[in-house]
Amino acid sequence: MSDTIEQLRTFITTTFLSGEGVSTLRDEDDLLAIGILDSYALVELVDYLRTDLDIDVGPEDIKLHNFRSLRAIAAFLRTKGRA
Amino acid sequence: MLADGPPNRFAIRAGELVLADAVGLAIEGLLYFVSLAGPLALLVQIGADRPLILLAAVLVGYLVALVIFLGGIVVLRRVLFPSIVPGRFIIRNPNALPPMLSARLMAMVKRSPFVGMMRDVSFLRWAFLRGMGARIDPTFVMVDGAFIEDPWLFSAGKNCVMGVGSLISCHFAQHSVITLEPVTLGDDVTIGAGALISPGVTIGDGAVVGAGAAVARRTAIGPGEFWSGNPARKIDLFAGDRGASAVKDPSIIKEQLKA
């Protein structure tokens, strides 16, 4: 679980932000309210989950509560069978 | 903040906004003072007491004030924020401050009485925008009301025209994240009246963007293409039946132009 969160934290801070330290993002930070996840970023994130983490993300999974924060994404991945 | 989410701890606080506005106003006031003080001192010095000489001196003084004002903005931008880099930053990131505060300098120009003169007079436009960091040719033309939000990330080739009220923006802000992406025009690009060019857009040589078009972020418009609409899409002027029939019977075009 914590490994997944660290992996997501690294991906999100390095892919969607420029020159930002990994420590900037807390587990519970609202990625939408801060503005980090916009429509472009969401597509890239889903692509990353599918191809790099091999998670089966379907259209029915694209829900606000699944992508709201690092913790939420990790919880979502847990429902997809990723520890 | 979205409903039921935790508060956004990066959001701008009212105190910070007031501080930025207060400092901005002080700088703006100082700029006007310096711009007008020079010509005024000259006026007093030459002791222009005849009405026509006074009038001529005031008019020349206005132009001098304009040059000092625009020059002051350029110097402030260059000295205070020597480096502005593209990217996507949380507004608390040190890289977010230079573009955000430089945009405040552009806003000072926009609300000044000198903005029209800067836009309409070719050498003033060229010198000012180059000074602010744009890579443009002296043949770059902006028509009434056109504006470039972030000249430091803008470049254009020869003979480009920005139509009435068109806007080029190399940034957008979403909540507490600011995204800066360069906008690049080739040679002979025409941007129609009221069109919006978003960050990250590239436009090839000879391409035309129709009036009122909204060109979405990171769109790549190829050489010679015509794009129009919201969101802007490529329009093939000679596609399908319409084009073929128009070649056979040019009166179709004439009728369309009349309609």
Side-chain angles (χ1 to χ4, degrees):
Chain A
M1 168 86 179
S2 64
D3 275 1
T4 308
I5 286 195
E6 289 320 313
Q7 212 173 340
L8 288 168
R9 197 195 317 275
T10 305
F11 174 77
I12 287 174
T13 43
T14 53
T15 312
F16 303 140
L17 297 169
S18 318
E20 198 67 67
V22 172
S23 58
T24 307
L25 271 191
R26 294 182 191 158
D27 295 1
E28 69 282 4
D29 273 337
D30 191 325
L31 301 174
L32 293 134
I34 295 170
I36 295 172
L37 270 194
D38 59 8
S39 52
Y40 268 75
L42 185 64
V43 171
E44 279 186 63
L45 175 62
V46 168
D47 186 55
Y48 168 76
L49 297 180
R50 278 186 185 145
T51 53
D52 289 50
L53 303 190
D54 205 21
I55 308 282
D56 176 29
V57 186
E60 68 282 0
D61 296 320
I62 311 294
K63 298 273 160 52
L64 177 65
H65 63 262
N66 283 345
F67 294 94
R68 196 72 180 262
S69 61
L70 292 173
R71 194 173 285 162
I73 302 169
F76 162 64
L77 296 186
R78 224 169 28 247
T79 68
K80 290 285 179 180
R82 188 184 168 90
Chain B
M1 185 175 82
L2 298 171
D4 76 1
N8 170 8
R9 61 196 170 86
F10 299 105
I12 295 249
R13 289 182 270 278
E16 293 169 329
L17 214 51
V18 169
L19 179 68
D21 283 339
V23 173
L25 278 174
I27 289 175
E28 197 169 355
L30 198 66
L31 261 174
Y32 277 105
F33 182 82
V34 172
S35 308
L36 298 171
L40 194 67
L42 204 67
L43 211 65
V44 172
Q45 197 66 40
I46 60 173
D49 47 5
R50 288 184 201 164
L52 288 181
I53 292 178
L54 185 65
L55 178 63
V58 165
L59 291 174
V60 171
Y62 180 79
L63 292 178
V64 174
L66 174 152
V67 170
I68 297 175
F69 186 89
L70 294 178
I73 292 278
V74 166
V75 169
L76 283 172
R77 141 86 177 92
R78 292 275 171 176
V79 171
L80 297 178
F81 316 113
S83 155
I84 298 180
V85 292
R88 199 157 183 265
F89 310 107
I90 292 181
I91 51 175
R92 304 280 166 197
N93 186 292
N95 280 327
L97 215 55
M100 280 162 59
L101 297 181
S102 298
R104 281 176 173 261
L105 292 175
M106 283 304 282
M108 288 177 197
V109 174
K110 206 186 218 175
R111 61 176 171 257
S112 77
F114 308 124
V115 64
M117 203 78 97
M118 179 278 285
R119 183 176 46 226
D120 299 346
V121 179
S122 62
F123 53 87
L124 285 177
R125 171 175 60 234
W126 180 79
F128 175 71
L129 291 176
R130 290 285 295 203
M132 294 303 273
R135 289 179 297 277
I136 55 166
D137 190 76
T139 55
F140 182 76
V141 170
M142 288 165 80
V143 185
D144 186 30
F147 200 73
I148 300 172
E149 292 272 349
D150 315 81
W152 36 90
L153 290 177
F154 175 71
S155 60
K158 295 183 170 106
N159 300 310
C160 294
V161 179
M162 280 180 79
V164 176
S166 57
L167 177 71
I168 291 177
S169 178
C170 308
H171 86 276
F172 74 93
Q174 185 164 336
H175 304 299
S176 298
V177 172
I178 180 168
T179 304
L180 295 129
E181 291 172 354
V183 169
T184 308
L185 313 187
D187 295 334
D188 306 301
V189 171
T190 302
I191 295 169
L196 165 72
I197 310 296
S198 306
V201 169
T202 57
I203 305 182
D205 295 350
V208 176
V209 174
V215 183
R217 187 181 153 202
R218 291 190 192 166
T219 302
I221 296 181
E225 292 179 358
F226 176 67
W227 283 58
S228 186
N230 180 5
R233 292 179 195 288
K234 185 181 166 185
I235 312 279
D236 196 343
L237 291 174
F238 300 100
D241 293 343
R242 201 169 39 144
S245 344
V247 172
K248 280 184 209 148
D249 180 8
S251 65
I252 291 176
I253 294 182
K254 284 183 190 161
E255 276 163 30
Q256 282 192 352
L257 288 176
K258 263 188 242 160

